[in-house]
Amino acid sequence: MRHVSKPLVQDPSQQSTLQLSVPDKFFTLETTDGAARAGTVRTAHGDIQTPVFMPVGTQGAVKALEHRSLEELDAQIILSNTYHLYLRPGTTVLREMGGLHSFMNWKRPILTDSGGFQVFSLRELRTMNEQGVTFRSHIDGSKHLFTPENVVDMQRAIGSDIMMVLDECTPYPVEHDVAKKSMEQTVRWAQRAQDQHRAVEPLYGFPQYHFGIGQGSVYRDLRTECAKMLVDMDFDGHAIGGLAVGEDASLMYDMIEVSNTVWPVSKPRYLMGVGTPENILRAIERGVDMFDCVMPTRNARNGTIFTTKGRVNIKNARWKGEEEALDPGLDAWASQNVSMAYLRHLFHAGEILGLMFATMQNVALYLWLARTARQNIINGTYASWSRETIEQLNAVRS
Amino acid sequence: MRHVSKPLVQDPSQQSTLQLSVPDKFFTLETTDGAARAGTVRTAHGDIQTPVFMPVGTQGAVKALEHRSLEELDAQIILSNTYHLYLRPGTTVLREMGGLHSFMNWKRPILTDSGGFQVFSLRELRTMNEQGVTFRSHIDGSKHLFTPENVVDMQRAIGSDIMMVLDECTPYPVEHDVAKKSMEQTVRWAQRAQDQHRAVEPLYGFPQYHFGIGQGSVYRDLRTECAKMLVDMDFDGHAIGGLAVGEDASLMYDMIEVSNTVWPVSKPRYLMGVGTPENILRAIERGVDMFDCVMPTRNARNGTIFTTKGRVNIKNARWKGEEEALDPGLDAWASQNVSMAYLRHLFHAGEILGLMFATMQNVALYLWLARTARQNIINGTYASWSRETIEQLNAVRS
C-alpha cells in the first residue's frame, strides 16, 4: 500500500491533530458545531479534510483546469465517472496504464461515481431489470449492460480511492409506490455490490473504499428505511442520491436531515451532485461532509462567475472597462491577476483562455467555501459565518 | 521610461555580455555563424534574445495558454493584432485600461501586427485607395477605415513595444506589374506611417519601436527595390511580409536572402507568419532574427503535436495505450507529465484540457527551437545542428 501524504495543511496548528489520528482508520470525526462536522478521510493517495468539495472530472479531466492548478487551489480529491471512463478510454486501456491515477498522472485521491445517474438519464436508450440496466452508448450507440457487480469490477480497473454502488436513480416527481419499488431495487443492488466488493481484491495494491447510496425521492419514510438497510451492509461511507433533481430546496434539506439521523456519525456522508454555495452551506449545517457539483465548472464556461462578493455575469456591458480583479480575496492566480474587463473581453472574443480563467476562479471559490466552512466549524462559529456568507455569495453583482 | 529587466538568462556566461551592452540601443548583434545571427532586442518590458519565436495572441490572448505558462516556457515576447484589438475590445477600453500590457496583465514585450494582412484577407468586405483601406468588420459588418496614420494611432493606444506599419498584402500568385504597384503603395504608406510615428508621442511613457514591412511578392527586383526604399526611412527594424502564402519554399528562401542583402545588419529582421520548424531554421540560416506563426497553437488544437522526435497525430489509434510522455526532452509540464495515451483520450473526449496540453507542448517546442538555434549560433555549430534538427523534427511518428 502506497502512502502519499498530503503536503498542504491549511493551519499549522492542525498538523499535530492529524499526525495523532490512527492512520488505518478511514474516517475520523474531529469536531462538531451544531450538526456541522469537521473530520478527516484517509486514503492511500492522501488525507482529505472535511467538509470537502470535489471538483468534477467526469472523463478523467476537470474541464479547462490543469492538474497543477487543482493542486495549487488545494483540491484534495477529484470526482470522475465510471460510465464515461468505461466507454472511453475503456477499462482495457485503464488496466494497461495502471489505473486512472497513473493514466491522468493525478497523485491525489479520486472518487468515482458508479454511472447510475448517467445511465438512468439515457431515457430512450436503456432498459432495466433485476439483473441490471442495459443501455446504448451516447458515443456510438453500442449496447452495454451495467450490473452492481460489473460496476464494482470497472471501478477496480479505474482504481479510484472511493467507489460508489450502482443505484437506480428514481425520476422526479414520482408517486410513493414507484419510489418505494425503486428504492428497494437500489437496496438489493447495494447488497450485491457490497458482496462483489468483498469478493474481489483491488488491482493496484491500495484499498478502495465503498459507499452506499440512499434513495427514496422526497419521502421521509423511504429515505429512513433505505438508510437503515444500507447501514446494515457496513459500507465505508454513505451518500445521499437523487436530490437536486427539481424538488424545492426545503424538501432537499428535509431529506438530508432524515438521512443523517440514520447514518452513523462515524462514517462520512456525501451529498451527490449538489449544488449552489448556499445549498452546500445548508447541507454542511445538517451534517454532510462531502460534495461534488458541475456548477462551478459548467457555469464558468457560460460566463457565470462566483465571487466572495456575489455572482457576476461576466458578459455584461457593466464590466467593459472594469479594472477590478475577479476576486482579490482568493489566492488563485486568475482571482488576483485577471480583471473583470479582460475576462469579459476573452468571453466576447471566444477565447479558450476565458474558460480557463473563469473555471479557475469558480473552483477556487468552491474550494475556499468548504475549507472556510471547516475552519468555522473548528472555531465554533459556523452558524453566524454561514449566514453572512450565504448572503454575500447570493448577491447578484451588476 | 521604465526598464524592466528580463530575469531569465539562458546561459549564465551570457549575462555579463548583456550587462555590458549599451542600454539605450534597441538592437545589438552579438555574434554570427555564417549568415545566422544572435542578438538582443531591448524594450521597456525586457530584453529579447534572438533568434526569437513570438507566440501569437491575436486577440490579446495566446489561445489555450495561460500567461504563467508562457513565462514558464520562457516566451520572451508575444504578438497581438491591431485589427482584432481595434474591433474588440476597442481602443477606448484599451486606453482606459492603460494599454494592452495592463489590460492583459502581461509584463513582457508585445509586438503588434498592423492588421494589414487581416484586412486584405477580407476579400469581399474591403475597398482600397491611396488614402487607406475601407472594410467591414467580420464581427458585426460595421464599416471602418484603416490608414497608415490611424493604424499608428491605434498601436499607440495598444501600447505595444514594437509596432508594424500598415502594408498592402499583395495576393499570390500575381503578375509583376500588379506586384510592383502594390509594393509601391506599401512604400508610400510606410513613409506616412513613419511620419505619424515621429509626430505622435507614446501614451504610456515607454518607447514603441516601429518596423517597416517589405513586399514585392516573389520578384527579386521588387523585393530589393522595396527594401532599399524602406531602409531610407530609418525604421527600427525590418520585416519580410507576404510570404508563405502558397509559393514554393525555395522561392520564399530566395526572397529572404534578397531582402537580407539589403537590410542593414544593425537592425533586427522579422519574417512574418512563418512557418514550420524547418522554415524557421532555414530562415535563421539566412539571417532572420524574429518569427511568429499560428502553426504551433492552431495545429495543437487540431491534434498535431510537434515533438523533438517528430510530428504526431495524437488522435491515431497508435497512441491508445502509449505511456510515453509527450516529449521528455522539453521542460514544459505537459511535455514531461502527460502521456500520449492520456492526451489522445482528452482529444477523443473533446476535453479543453487536451487543447491546453497540446498547445503547451507545441509552444514549448517552438520556443526551444529558437533558443537552441541561438545557442548553436553562439557555439558556431549552427549548420550541423540545424541539419540534424530539421531531419528529426520532420519525421512523422506513427
Side-chain angles (χ1 to χ4, degrees), chain B residues 264-282:
Chain B
V265 295
S266 60
K267 292 183 178 179
R269 300 153 177 181
Y270 163 28
L271 176 61
M272 303 183 79
V274 176
T276 64
E278 173 169 358
N279 293 155
I280 289 177
L281 292 191
R282 294 203 186 278

Side-chain angles (χ1 to χ4, degrees), chain B residues 106-155:
Chain B
W106 170 254
K107 294 172 175 55
R108 297 188 181 183
I110 299 173
L111 178 148
T112 37
D113 190 8
S114 62
F117 181 79
Q118 283 67 31
V119 170
F120 284 95
S121 303
L122 302 168
R123 302 248 155 205
E124 307 299 308
L125 303 172
R126 50 105 182 150
T127 53
M128 204 205 78
N129 59 27
E130 188 62 34
Q131 189 199 4
V133 52
T134 303
F135 62 92
R136 290 192 181 276
S137 157
H138 73 282
I139 299 169
D140 63 4
S142 56
K143 206 169 167 182
H144 304 270
L145 170 69
F146 270 19
T147 67
E149 291 83 5
N150 74 12
V151 164
V152 167
D153 297 343
M154 290 168 202
Q155 291 177 96

Side-chain angles (χ1 to χ4, degrees), chain B residues 143-211:
Chain B
K143 206 169 167 182
H144 304 270
L145 170 69
F146 270 19
T147 67
E149 291 83 5
N150 74 12
V151 164
V152 167
D153 297 343
M154 290 168 202
Q155 291 177 96
R156 291 293 193 204
I158 293 169
S160 45
D161 298 278
I162 301 175
M163 301 160 53
M164 304 302 298
V165 297
L166 182 66
D167 57 335
E168 186 185 337
C169 293
T170 318
Y172 182 83
V174 67
E175 294 299 316
H176 186 277
D177 60 329
V178 178
K180 183 175 166 66
K181 278 191 185 129
S182 169
M183 177 276 281
E184 288 166 350
Q185 179 73 79
T186 284
V187 169
R188 289 193 299 276
W189 282 1
Q191 184 61 61
R192 284 167 53 191
Q194 185 68 318
D195 293 345
Q196 183 74 1
H197 182 258
R198 283 173 180 149
V200 182
E201 289 293 308
L203 298 176
Y204 310 116
F206 59 84
Q208 296 178 270
Y209 302 96
H210 198 211
F211 282 25

Side-chain angles (χ1 to χ4, degrees), chain A residues 59-60 63 337 342 345 351, chain B residues 59-60 63 105 342 345 351:
Chain A
Q59 305 186 103
K63 292 191 191 303
N337 292 287
Y342 184 48
H345 167 67
E351 287 287 343
Chain B
Q59 304 186 105
K63 293 192 191 303
N105 199 7
Y342 184 49
H345 167 68
E351 286 287 343

Side-chain angles (χ1 to χ4, degrees), chain A residues 59-69 72 85 88-89 93 96-97 102-105 107 301 320-323 333 336-339 341-342 345-346 348-353 355-357 360, chain B residues 59-69 72 85 88-89 93 96-97 102-105 107 301 320-323 333 336-339 341-342 345-346 348-353 355-357 360:
Chain A
Q59 305 186 103
V62 175
K63 292 191 191 303
L65 200 58
E66 272 187 51
H67 301 30
R68 287 189 294 180
S69 296
E72 188 179 70
L85 294 174
R88 192 168 48 199
V93 166
E96 278 173 20
M97 300 288 293
S102 165
F103 181 60
M104 287 184 65
N105 198 6
K107 294 172 176 55
R301 299 195 305 283
K320 195 163 188 176
E322 180 54 63
E323 295 185 39
W333 192 88
Q336 298 193 350
N337 292 287
V338 174
S339 66
Y342 184 48
H345 167 67
L346 295 177
H348 281 277
E351 287 287 343
I352 291 172
L353 192 61
L355 311 182
M356 292 160 61
F357 286 152
M360 191 186 294
Chain B
Q59 304 186 105
V62 175
K63 293 192 191 303
L65 200 58
E66 271 187 52
H67 301 30
R68 285 189 296 179
S69 296
E72 189 179 69
L85 294 173
R88 192 165 50 198
V93 166
E96 279 173 21
M97 299 288 293
S102 165
F103 182 60
M104 287 183 65
N105 199 7
K107 294 172 175 55
R301 299 196 304 282
K320 196 163 189 177
E322 180 54 64
E323 294 187 37
W333 192 89
Q336 298 192 350
N337 292 286
V338 174
S339 66
Y342 184 49
H345 167 68
L346 295 176
H348 281 277
E351 286 287 343
I352 291 172
L353 192 61
L355 311 181
M356 292 159 61
F357 286 152
M360 192 187 292

